[in-house]
Amino acid sequence: MRRRAPEATVTATAENPYLTDNFGPVATETTAVDLPVTGTLPAHLDGRYLRNGPNPVTPVDPTQHHWFLGTGMVHGVRIRDGKAEWYRNRFVRSADVAAALGEQPRPGAKPHVGWDFPANTNVVVQGGRTFAIVEAGGRPYELTDDLETVGACDFDGTLPGGYTAHPKRDPATGELHAVSYYWGWGNQVQYTVLGTDARVKRVENIAVTGSPMMHDFSLTENHVVLYDLPCVFDLDPIRELWPRPIGDVARWNASLFVGKRRTPDPVAAFFTRKVLGAKAPKFPYRWDPNYPARVGVMPRTGTAKDVRWFEIEPCYVFHPLNAYDDGDKLVLDVVRHPRMFDAKPLGPDEGPSTLDRWTVDLTAGKVLAERRSDLSQEFPRVDERVVGRRHRYGYAVGFRSTRADALIRHDLVTGDATRRTFSPGTNLSEFLFVPDADDSPEDRGTLMGFAYDPGRDASDLLLLDSQTLETVAAVHLPARVPAGFHGNWAPTVG
């Protein structure tokens, strides 16, 4: 079954690389059952592979459109008893998406407060509930097991503002730890702990330098690690809301306020709607060479007043691989970019990234940086059972410019990196790790991720052996999955 959104998506254009090739949006919501499989699906797999990503539902201005601002679309594959039972893709029905599709807004949608914009970055399961999530102040959207939108969610009234795209699950407790940011909060970010009942049980507001784009953070057994880096809220779009010289005055006034103290909700909501409007979205974060680069460390048993800050060389980190405590040191493995949204404001394409290790010496008060891999890469993942613990292995997608065509397996003990390059035209999404069993060794399991096959103009869900990177099975989808962001394996419970 296929359901097409009326006048849903833009036509691909060479003016913007994030609207062409496999970045181009799809207009159709598809349901397909009994999917064909090449190879053998591991018999123990029982659950849903879920992935989120941007997919504009209405026409956008290719000269302004930023990849991160597309409408959320969640893709899922149900696997059980060695079969791929179904594939579904569904738009996440935030208020503007429901309106574009001619539908009524879902419960909880409140665009007037500025927290209702596309939940397009990740999809997680907590307390038996599925949530599409996004950063920068957006509220989560709850989905059914079949990926239909239930409505906007504040975790049963316990979430005081927006959420993040990158919560970290503590493997010992099952709780989701998160660091969220929102430009309207001024110079603070918010640390929360979400219990296994999907209710927030702790909130801690932490002061930072200004208003950074804090895309991710790190968690260890004893610490929360924050990355206060020079990609910050850009005031220039404020100037464009009014004719000059009024716009220039408005920007100057905003510079005295934004990133320094909380912006009143009505003002924040007005600006968010104007800048992130569906017809001409503008991404309001840019590189600022004058902003300091710092790593913050807070004991998990401490409060905001216990945060210690450590200066590092200017750079940007979207995604840490993992982190762990090592005596009086913290070891942080991160994918480092030299800068972000400077020369290339429409997407993350500022030159090759690297895998670096930062060792935070809490006694000496400094950070030692070393290069672990020069291979250009992103979307790093580890075995979720070792999040915040000492890890040996990690996996990442290899890039050539914006083309993701390789998978990398890191052995952080030996320093070896195994790289599998896929056939020309293939475009890979993030690959995640699923262990063979709860007690199987680290790196004994299956890697899962979508891969675009240009020969079919459709995508496959690839399952690879985590040690050899060889293909174990390929689930052939009847549709294309556009290049996107993050997802997770949601095992069947009970």
Side-chain angles (χ1 to χ4, degrees):
M1 183 274 286
R2 293 195 169 196
R3 180 170 57 190
R4 186 176 181 85
E7 302 298 325
T9 52
V10 298
T11 301
T13 169
E15 295 180 73
N16 188 320
Y18 299 101
L19 295 171
T20 62
D21 299 325
N22 197 44
F23 286 97
V26 298
T28 302
E29 293 183 322
T30 299
T31 299
V33 299
D34 298 327
L35 304 171
V37 176
T38 299
T40 302
L41 292 171
H44 66 274
L45 293 177
D46 182 0
R48 296 172 298 152
Y49 172 79
L50 305 173
R51 202 221 69 186
N52 203 347
N55 192 94
V57 70
T58 54
V60 296
D61 180 353
T63 66
Q64 299 288 342
H65 176 70
H66 192 288
W67 186 33
F68 291 6
L69 298 183
T71 304
M73 176 176 274
V74 176
H75 304 257
V77 177
R78 177 69 165 99
I79 296 175
R80 178 165 46 192
D81 296 331
K83 298 178 181 179
E85 294 184 345
W86 53 252
Y87 162 76
R88 288 182 171 88
N89 65 318
R90 296 292 186 270
F91 286 108
V92 181
R93 263 69 169 180
S94 51
D96 59 329
V97 175
L101 297 176
E103 301 173 0
Q104 292 297 311
R106 299 307 193 265
K110 296 179 179 180
H112 60 282
V113 299
W115 292 331
D116 191 88
F117 53 84
N120 68 6
T121 312
N122 204 345
V123 53
V124 297
V125 174
Q126 185 74 342
R129 300 159 66 184
T130 303
F131 302 101
I133 53 178
V134 67
E135 62 198 271
R139 282 275 171 82
Y141 263 77
E142 186 171 355
L143 311 177
T144 68
D145 287 352
D146 292 339
L147 309 185
E148 303 294 345
T149 301
V150 176
C153 177
D154 59 4
F155 300 132
D156 300 330
T158 62
L159 182 67
Y163 199 51
T164 180
H166 282 288
K168 298 278 188 292
R169 190 182 308 279
D170 185 328
T173 67
E175 297 169 336
L176 286 180
H177 296 247
V179 174
S180 307
Y181 72 96
Y182 171 50
W183 73 273
W185 289 342
N187 67 328
Q188 73 172 26
V189 296
Q190 191 170 85
Y191 166 64
T192 57
V193 180
L194 188 70
T196 55
D197 59 354
R199 295 173 63 88
V200 176
K201 58 188 295 185
R202 182 182 175 192
V203 177
E204 192 74 33
N205 294 320
I206 301 171
V208 291
T209 305
S211 189
M213 179 184 175
M214 198 172 289
H215 184 77
D216 204 345
F217 78 109
S218 290
L219 186 73
T220 74
E221 288 186 89
N222 300 311
H223 297 92
V224 177
V225 182
L226 302 96
Y227 301 99
D228 189 12
L229 302 174
C231 186
V232 301
F233 188 76
D234 180 17
L235 294 172
D236 284 345
I238 291 178
R239 181 186 288 123
E240 301 174 19
L241 298 180
W242 293 274
R244 292 191 177 187
I246 297 174
D248 294 328
V249 174
R251 189 200 183 282
W252 181 81
N253 285 332
S255 70
L256 303 177
F257 191 86
V258 172
K260 298 177 176 63
R261 53 191 182 274
R262 184 179 179 88
T263 301
D265 286 345
V267 176
F270 168 80
F271 181 73
T272 299
R273 289 198 304 271
K274 288 291 186 180
V275 172
L276 302 183
K279 291 187 178 180
K282 297 180 176 66
F283 189 71
Y285 288 88
R286 293 294 297 271
W287 181 258
D288 181 356
N290 298 314
Y291 191 93
R294 310 185 301 168
V295 171
V297 177
M298 183 183 77
R300 282 173 55 169
T301 57
T303 65
K305 64 181 177 59
D306 299 311
V307 177
R308 295 179 59 191
W309 292 101
F310 303 83
E311 292 187 0
I312 59 172
E313 289 294 316
C315 65
Y316 191 72
V317 173
F318 280 113
H319 306 117
L321 172 68
N322 195 33
Y324 59 88
D325 300 303
D326 184 15
D328 61 351
K329 298 180 176 65
L330 274 67
V331 178
L332 317 174
D333 286 338
V334 303
V335 173
R336 180 189 186 276
H337 296 259
R339 64 184 60 81
M340 190 51 57
F341 306 138
D342 184 12
K344 302 289 186 70
L346 300 183
D349 185 19
E350 295 282 352
S353 58
T354 55
L355 181 66
D356 287 15
R357 172 163 287 184
W358 296 344
T359 301
V360 182
D361 189 325
L362 299 175
T363 301
K366 60 183 180 181
V367 179
L368 172 66
E370 59 178 311
R371 183 68 36 83
R372 299 310 305 265
S373 174
D374 284 317
L375 296 173
S376 184
Q377 59 197 281
E378 251 301 344
F379 301 123
R381 298 292 295 251
V382 293
D383 181 341
E384 297 294 303
R385 298 172 301 170
V386 300
V387 167
R389 280 72 177 162
R390 187 182 296 268
H391 61 282
R392 176 171 180 173
Y393 301 101
Y395 318 92
V397 175
F399 278 80
R400 287 181 295 175
S401 185
T402 58
R403 173 68 66 182
D405 64 354
L407 197 64
I408 303 167
R409 173 186 179 269
H410 292 287
D411 184 330
L412 280 307
V413 172
T414 66
D416 293 337
T418 303
R419 189 174 191 270
R420 176 184 172 184
T421 301
F422 289 75
S423 58
T426 300
N427 185 251
L428 302 180
S429 293
E430 174 188 66
F431 274 66
L432 57 85
F433 175 89
V434 181
D436 282 347
D438 290 343
D439 59 353
S440 61
E442 184 189 359
D443 195 42
R444 182 57 271 164
T446 301
L447 299 173
M448 292 187 191
F450 288 127
Y452 170 64
D453 179 353
R456 295 197 305 119
D457 191 28
S459 296
D460 300 323
L461 174 62
L462 296 184
L463 289 83
L464 312 180
D465 182 281
S466 63
Q467 295 181 330
T468 67
L469 304 186
E470 294 300 315
T471 301
V472 174
V475 179
H476 305 297
L477 311 183
R480 181 172 62 86
V481 177
F485 302 138
H486 307 290
N488 289 284
W489 172 248
T492 302
V493 178

